Amino acid sequence: MLLLLSRRVSLSFVSQVIPRNRVLFSKPISRNSQAVTFRLSYITVSANANSQNIVTMPERRPFVRLPTDVYPVNYGLCLKPDLIDFTFEGKLEAAVEVTQGTNQIVMNCADIDIITASFAPEGGEEINATGFNYQNEDEKVTLSFPSALQKGSGTLKIDFVGELNDKMKGFYRSKYATPTGEIRYAAVTQFEATDARRAFPCWDEPAIKATFDITLIVPKDRVALSNMNVIDRKPYPEDERLVEVKFATTPIMSTYLVAFVIGEYDFVEGQSSDGVTVRVYTPIGKAEQGKFALEVATKTLPFYKDYFNVPYPLPKIDLIAIADFAAGAMENWGLVTYRETALLIDPKNSCSSSRQWVALVVGHELAHQWFGNLVTMEWWTHLWLNEGFASWIEYLCVDHCFPEYDIWTQFVSADYTRALDLDALDNSHPIEVNVGHPSEVDEIFDAISYSKGASVIRMLHNYIGDEDFRKGMNAYLLKFQHKNASTEDLWDCLEQASGKPIAAVMNSWTKQMGFPIIVVDQEQQGDDRVLKISQRKFCASGPHNGEDCPSWMVPISICTSEDPSCTKMKVLMDQPEITVTIPNISPDQWIKINPGTVGFYRIQYSSAMLDSLLPGIRDLTLPPVDRLGLQNDLFSLSRAGMISTVEVLKVMEAFVNEPNYTVWSDLSCNLGVLSSLLSHTDFHEEIQEFIRDLFTPIGLKLGWDSKPGEGHLDALLRGLVLGKLGKAGHKPTLEEARRRFKEHVEGRQILPADLRSPVYLTVLKHGDSTTLDTMLKLHKQADMQEEKNRIERVLGAISAPDLIQRVLTFALSEEVRPQDTVSVIGGVAGSSKHGRKAAWKFVKDNWEELHNRYQGGFLISRLIKLTVDGFAVDKMAAEVKSFFESHHAPAAERTVQQCCENILLNAAWLKRDADDIHQYLLQRKAPPV
């Protein structure tokens, strides 16, 4: 599943906001472990004099996995949804195996009413169940039988009814408009992590795999899809308006990967070079918008087949755009579901970042067809393996399909630095987390599982080398295909392929939270350079100074100015301090640790080493990814109070000749953080001036219009720079944006898709009620979800308090799809000090409706984070904490703790550095004496 986590993007519009939807480290859960603890109450966060955030552990209650005395072999499932009354009828005939005599069967079941249930042993009499005991809290049902079911095979039959809910999980309804404007509903599914149980009673755990024979009874004018190809379609005898659609038997698979869709769709079709039929389903009349994703998918399937050396195991794969969809996309085997904005591309109206986003999401979900679907994690503790791996290989795949995207540099800004930021918090968690209760599972769909997971796999791939990595991956997939595996199983296969101590190295990265800061000093001894390297845990509040400091097995690479892109030496740092000697290096040469910014750690150089590296930023002799990494490390050290923020501002000024999009994007993002922090002071305008000065030269160089020979990255950079200048109040940019906006609205000169976000943002930021009215009109007229989202994400930029209120009210209106409300409110909170306060008040005032809408999903976490993360006053942390103590949101528990910690860190940063920053910003404009 790809979540819409708020990726580190410098302005909300620059890329689709991605998304990609636990406290103590202990051993992974074994299949038979009975009690897995579940945190119920809130962790309390307090700030002491050092602003270290102390975590007190909550109460726990046990959670028990399903008993193993009865398990399914095949589900025969027939469902008949009613698209008018939003209900469905279901019949389950499951072939099961009884492993030991029992008079009850325990299954998962939620929001479903069982009408009848019976069990027939093979060749024996049918026994009717005499009771159904629902344990709603644990989402289970116990079927009781009058006599013991004997060991052996049998058939379990259940008739049941359920609701097509509007919560975007389970079997749910999705609203769409026909080309004539009539409102209709499709019936669609989203089962990961634990919602198959809302569609049919089942053993809803990833390790309990079975085959599925699915039949859907649907209106004859609707498209019906499932994981497999249709093998029979015939009139339904009881109602001539319906048809019965039967699908081929699936391979053995987990329940969370089952899917069905009933609705109205067009499609485009192609075939991959290895003979797999690929279809992209789109809303009616928009088949053209499926062509880009089709091209990506048909290139991607053979790439993965070749990379894994295992063929795609199903006869077909469908990719379908769903109107109401909480995540970014979901990898259901053979039927991958997407948000419209993650799949549809209009050649005229889609911007470059949307094309890139679609390519990444398609790459991510198709990787899961092998890694996750063919081999599945044994339990949610190992979710990170699924998601971290897919989040890494999506980049490998896009780099193969679109080398011009320079996508690996973008990985560092989008995933790697975001994971470092989150993992530096005291309220982070290890990559591997013991999870039990269903409400706990949603919580680990976060930047640690996805982005830190991807980052450590990238580091591991670099440490092993591509050839041995592929060899180990192939062994893993072959050994565990159609089965389940744990993290340790992958380490074993990679260890055998590479001969390196993979488990020992990787356990230090997956089983403990956080990462090290690598402290480096050097000494020239004759022709040799001697490096003293030490590690300690990096914390967002400063270095870890405690006694029991954790340590990591750190693969360290070293390069020199002789060839900055080539690694001169590699060492595995397996103790707190090491000394490394680099022979034959003259005193005037510089040394850089972590070339390519691959190792998952921060670096603190001695001042002499840092001084020798900085000219490489100005003269571009350092590669782009290293210029980015150096600046990002320094920014992070300043937030942690280890260096002055003024030092970082001086380094930022050296980027004036920077040509690279991703480097600018990361700079822009960090300046956005600083600008948000300084909105709490009376010198916010001075930082805007700093931003204008830094971005003006590149803005002038790029201009407004694309030039012949420009590519994808130029388009992204132009949008980024113009948006940054416009938001910061650069007069010429504002005037030109207003002129072009007027022509666009009047239909005289339609804005190119890549300029729309920066222009919309600029005119709104400096606009009035007329501007807002015009923008809302454009939103209403937009036929494409991408354009609607583009407008929704920038509406919050409006400045006047009464207009901010209008935007917030609009967020909950029928005009905005439920999954997009979050980005409208987040846009308000992220745009100004007043916006932040107004958004927080709005969330509190409308909490019941918002929580009811997103409960138990990751959207609630995202909403909270976007709304409160930017505060910088100690008392706000207490207010946020107190609100969520009386308004429980179990799926967002950790997010609340992280936000409170961030607020305290922001407040400490402001107290520490505000005066120095102010002085620096004033004196850099002062005339020389």
Side-chain angles (χ1 to χ4, degrees):
M1 182 156 67
L2 194 81
L3 285 207
L4 288 149
L5 299 165
S6 42
R7 277 216 171 148
R8 291 180 76 258
V9 284
S10 42
L11 286 171
S12 55
F13 65 81
V14 172
S15 93
Q16 297 286 349
V17 180
I18 301 180
R20 223 114 2 208
N21 185 1
R22 261 168 187 233
V23 171
L24 289 180
F25 140 58
S26 51
K27 286 186 179 147
I29 306 165
S30 72
R31 175 67 193 97
N32 299 316
S33 66
Q34 283 307 297
V36 176
T37 47
F38 164 56
R39 299 185 324 285
L40 194 61
S41 73
Y42 274 63
I43 284 180
T44 52
V45 179
S46 58
N48 67 12
N50 298 324
S51 190
Q52 293 280 74
N53 299 309
I54 311 302
V55 177
T56 57
M57 295 306 301
E59 303 158 31
R60 293 164 165 267
R61 76 176 177 83
F63 164 77
V64 181
R65 282 167 68 171
L66 292 171
T68 53
D69 47 10
V70 180
Y71 70 87
V73 177
N74 169 269
Y75 290 85
L77 179 64
C78 177
L79 289 169
K80 180 170 169 254
D82 183 326
L83 299 174
I84 308 299
D85 290 340
F86 307 135
T87 56
F88 62 88
E89 296 169 25
K91 280 184 188 300
L92 175 66
E93 274 197 34
V96 302
E97 203 61 42
V98 181
T99 58
Q100 59 187 52
T102 175
N103 62 356
Q104 57 182 37
I105 295 178
V106 182
M107 303 168 76
N108 290 115
C109 178
D111 303 333
I112 277 176
D113 287 323
I114 293 173
I115 296 162
T116 60
S118 68
F119 178 81
E122 202 166 29
E125 289 289 306
E126 188 168 357
I127 312 164
N128 286 317
T130 48
F132 319 131
N133 179 20
Y134 297 92
Q135 292 109 293
N136 292 338
E137 185 96 337
D138 287 335
E139 301 182 345
K140 289 174 185 169
V141 65
T142 302
L143 308 178
S144 304
F145 294 89
S147 55
L149 313 179
Q150 298 309 307
K151 196 172 161 183
S153 305
T155 303
L156 173 69
K157 292 184 181 177
I158 303 179
D159 287 2
F160 58 94
V161 291
E163 181 200 7
L164 286 176
N165 70 67
D166 58 356
K167 300 281 189 288
M168 296 187 283
K169 62 183 183 180
F171 195 13
Y172 71 93
R173 61 186 189 261
S174 171
K175 187 162 106 175
Y176 64 97
T178 64
T180 58
E182 186 193 339
I183 295 296
R184 289 187 186 166
Y185 290 85
V188 303
T189 56
Q190 168 60 41
F191 290 163
E192 189 178 24
T194 56
D195 292 314
R197 62 193 66 174
R198 290 173 204 284
F200 55 102
C202 56
W203 286 262
D204 200 10
E205 294 183 0
I208 308 179
K209 288 188 167 187
T211 57
F212 290 81
D213 284 286
I214 290 173
T215 302
L216 298 173
I217 296 166
V218 301
K220 61 185 179 188
D221 61 348
R222 296 294 195 268
V223 171
L225 301 170
S226 186
N227 304 81
M228 297 298 288
N229 47 302
V230 174
I231 51 170
D232 189 28
R233 184 183 171 103
K234 60 185 185 203
Y236 180 59
E238 292 169 38
D239 188 337
E240 60 183 22
R241 293 167 302 177
L242 304 179
V243 288
E244 198 171 312
V245 184
K246 191 167 170 38
F247 298 89
T249 306
T250 69
I252 185 167
M253 63 189 279
S254 302
T255 48
Y256 80 89
L257 293 165
V258 173
F260 17 92
V261 175
I262 299 104
E264 296 175 279
Y265 301 94
D266 282 343
F267 67 86
V268 285
E269 181 179 320
Q271 267 212 330
S272 67
S273 58
D274 44 355
V276 180
T277 299
V278 183
R279 285 183 173 182
V280 176
Y281 283 85
T282 72
I284 297 284
K286 295 187 177 179
E288 175 83 3
Q289 294 178 19
K291 284 183 174 170
F292 178 73
L294 182 67
E295 175 199 335
V296 176
T298 49
K299 276 186 189 171
T300 296
L301 286 170
F303 171 75
Y304 286 146
K305 178 193 171 186
D306 182 48
Y307 194 85
F308 297 131
N309 203 13
V310 173
Y312 173 73
L314 305 187
K316 63 92 177 176
I317 187 158
D318 298 325
L319 291 71
I320 184 165
I322 305 292
D324 293 324
F325 197 76
M330 176 62 211
E331 69 268 18
N332 317 299
W333 216 358
L335 176 57
V336 186
T337 46
Y338 294 79
R339 271 192 184 202
E340 288 186 8
T341 48
L343 190 69
L344 305 180
I345 291 295
D346 177 337
K348 286 194 193 67
N349 293 303
S350 288
C351 59
S352 302
S353 62
S354 292
R355 297 171 76 85
Q356 179 177 300
W357 172 223
V358 168
L360 283 167
V361 182
V362 170
H364 181 101
E365 303 309 335
L366 295 192
H368 277 311
Q369 306 303 306
W370 285 263
F371 207 96
N373 300 9
L374 181 63
V375 177
T376 310
M377 73 243 146
E378 195 280 329
W379 183 246
W380 300 109
T381 299
H382 307 281
L383 169 82
W384 85 273
L385 205 53
N386 256 14
E387 296 304 348
F389 185 85
S391 300
W392 168 76
I393 207 167
E394 70 185 61
Y395 283 88
L396 199 71
C397 156
V398 168
D399 193 45
H400 165 78
C401 295
F402 304 99
E404 70 277 15
Y405 285 8
D406 182 29
I407 202 73
W408 278 116
T409 306
Q410 295 195 55
F411 174 89
V412 173
S413 183
D415 280 274
Y416 168 94
T417 54
R418 180 161 126 260
L420 286 170
D421 287 345
L422 183 55
D423 205 28
L425 297 178
D426 294 341
N427 285 298
S428 181
H429 63 86
I431 281 179
E432 282 190 53
V433 184
N434 269 353
V435 288
H437 195 275
S439 69
E440 253 192 331
V441 178
D442 269 328
E443 242 193 317
I444 57 165
F445 283 85
D446 69 356
I448 298 295
S449 296
Y450 283 72
S451 299
K452 182 180 181 182
S455 299
V456 299
I457 286 170
R458 175 171 168 255
M459 175 168 72
L460 173 66
H461 174 264
N462 183 265
Y463 172 61
I464 296 177
D466 190 60
E467 192 180 331
D468 286 347
F469 186 85
R470 288 172 73 161
K471 208 189 302 175
M473 288 302 314
N474 173 252
Y476 171 80
L477 289 169
L478 290 177
K479 183 175 179 181
F480 294 101
Q481 61 185 332
H482 303 297
K483 298 193 190 83
N484 295 78
S486 69
T487 304
E488 286 71 21
D489 296 319
L490 179 60
W491 296 164
D492 290 347
C493 292
L494 291 171
E495 206 155 288
Q496 283 172 14
S498 67
K500 291 183 172 174
I502 304 305
V505 172
M506 294 308 289
N507 284 346
S508 73
W509 297 96
T510 66
K511 292 182 183 296
Q512 61 185 4
M513 73 180 203
F515 57 88
I517 178 164
I518 304 295
V519 182
V520 197
D521 202 353
Q522 65 178 8
E523 193 183 320
Q524 187 78 20
Q525 293 182 357
D527 289 339
D528 300 342
R529 190 79 56 90
V530 178
L531 299 181
K532 280 196 175 64
I533 304 175
S534 63
Q535 61 160 303
R536 56 187 176 182
K537 183 179 189 301
F538 179 78
C539 301
S541 53
H544 184 287
N545 293 319
E547 289 298 299
D548 53 342
C549 190
S551 69
W552 286 260
M553 302 258 288
V554 191
I556 297 218
S557 305
I558 301 163
C559 71
T560 70
S561 48
E562 193 176 16
D563 187 351
S565 59
C566 177
T567 297
K568 185 129 181 161
M569 183 180 278
K570 282 188 175 188
V571 289
L572 184 64
M573 183 176 185
D574 54 3
Q575 51 211 43
E577 293 183 20
I578 57 171
T579 302
V580 178
T581 302
I582 299 168
N584 307 320
I585 175 163
S586 61
D588 59 340
Q589 283 192 291
W590 52 251
I591 278 187
K592 164 113 181 39
I593 308 286
N594 204 16
T597 317
V598 176
F600 194 74
Y601 46 83
R602 298 277 185 204
I603 305 170
Q604 185 173 28
Y605 292 101
S606 65
S607 47
M609 287 185 82
L610 183 61
D611 288 346
S612 68
L613 285 168
L614 293 179
I617 290 176
R618 201 178 276 275
D619 64 19
L620 310 178
T621 48
L622 271 175
V625 72
D626 292 306
R627 301 195 295 268
L628 187 162
L630 201 57
Q631 176 268 134
N632 198 284
D633 276 353
L634 290 171
F635 188 76
S636 185
L637 294 183
S638 73
R639 187 179 189 225
M642 295 165 71
I643 60 172
S644 161
T645 308
V646 169
E647 295 308 307
V648 187
L649 290 171
K650 288 177 182 169
V651 169
M652 285 177 165
E653 291 183 295
F655 282 89
V656 70
N657 306 316
E658 182 57 57
N660 184 281
Y661 160 69
T662 313
V663 178
W664 274 114
S665 173
D666 199 73
L667 254 175
S668 169
C669 183
N670 288 339
L671 280 165
V673 169
L674 207 50
S675 175
S676 172
L677 185 76
L678 298 178
S679 68
H680 298 273
T681 69
D682 55 4
F683 59 91
H684 190 235
E685 177 47 38
E686 277 81 353
I687 193 74
Q688 302 314 306
E689 191 176 359
F690 181 89
I691 292 168
R692 294 195 295 266
D693 288 349
L694 187 57
F695 279 79
T696 296
I698 183 77
L700 289 170
K701 189 174 157 198
L702 287 165
W704 277 82
D705 300 304
S706 57
K707 303 172 185 69
E710 279 189 349
H712 174 78
L713 293 165
D714 300 294
L716 292 181
L717 181 56
R718 178 174 288 108
L720 171 74
V721 171
L722 291 173
K724 200 72 177 174
L725 284 168
K727 192 175 182 188
H730 181 250
K731 286 223 163 42
T733 304
L734 173 56
E735 283 161 16
E736 183 63 7
R738 281 178 173 155
R739 187 185 72 75
R740 289 181 181 238
F741 182 65
K742 188 168 184 286
E743 291 199 331
H744 175 71
V745 172
E746 290 168 357
R748 285 183 298 165
Q749 180 72 53
I750 298 300
L751 278 165
D754 283 315
L755 289 182
R756 287 183 202 169
S757 281
V759 167
Y760 294 170
L761 177 87
T762 302
V763 297
L764 272 165
K765 180 76 185 166
H766 310 280
D768 54 19
S769 60
T770 314
T771 324
L772 182 59
D773 289 341
T774 308
M775 205 61 84
L776 292 174
K777 193 172 154 198
L778 285 180
H779 181 276
K780 203 173 182 63
Q781 290 167 352
D783 176 45
M784 201 183 175
Q785 197 54 34
E786 179 188 324
E787 176 75 355
K788 284 189 188 290
N789 284 173
R790 200 178 351 251
I791 294 167
E792 286 160 2
R793 282 199 300 273
V794 296
L795 284 174
I798 200 88
S799 301
D802 59 322
L803 301 181
I804 285 175
Q805 240 11 83
R806 272 185 63 195
V807 171
L808 289 167
T809 307
F810 173 76
L812 273 179
S813 72
E814 286 286 313
E815 297 291 316
V816 178
R817 286 191 180 160
Q819 71 264 26
D820 298 321
T821 297
V822 173
S823 53
V824 181
I825 298 171
V828 171
S831 65
S832 64
K833 186 179 176 181
H834 181 83
R836 197 175 300 120
K837 284 181 179 165
W840 170 230
K841 183 177 187 311
F842 184 80
V843 166
K844 287 188 295 182
D845 292 347
N846 294 276
W847 178 251
E848 205 170 316
E849 182 177 349
L850 289 163
H851 187 250
N852 183 43
R853 189 187 275 200
Y854 305 124
Q855 59 188 0
F858 46 82
L859 281 173
I860 199 78
S861 295
R862 185 166 152 65
L863 174 71
I864 293 166
K865 184 174 173 56
L866 288 172
T867 309
V868 304
D869 228 20
F871 285 115
V873 187
D874 285 353
K875 72 173 181 7
M876 282 309 302
E879 184 182 314
V880 169
K881 177 178 170 289
S882 146
F883 179 80
F884 288 108
E885 275 171 353
S886 55
H887 300 79
H888 284 265
E893 200 177 298
R894 184 180 304 281
T895 300
V896 171
Q897 295 145 21
Q898 289 166 345
C899 289
C900 290
E901 184 177 349
N902 269 326
I903 294 168
L904 296 173
L905 288 165
N906 288 341
W909 189 9
L910 205 54
K911 283 189 201 109
R912 195 174 54 237
D913 276 7
D915 288 347
D916 290 350
I917 295 171
H918 192 191
Q919 287 314 308
Y920 176 71
L921 293 174
L922 289 175
Q923 61 102 79
R924 66 181 280 279
K925 299 311 286 179
V929 178

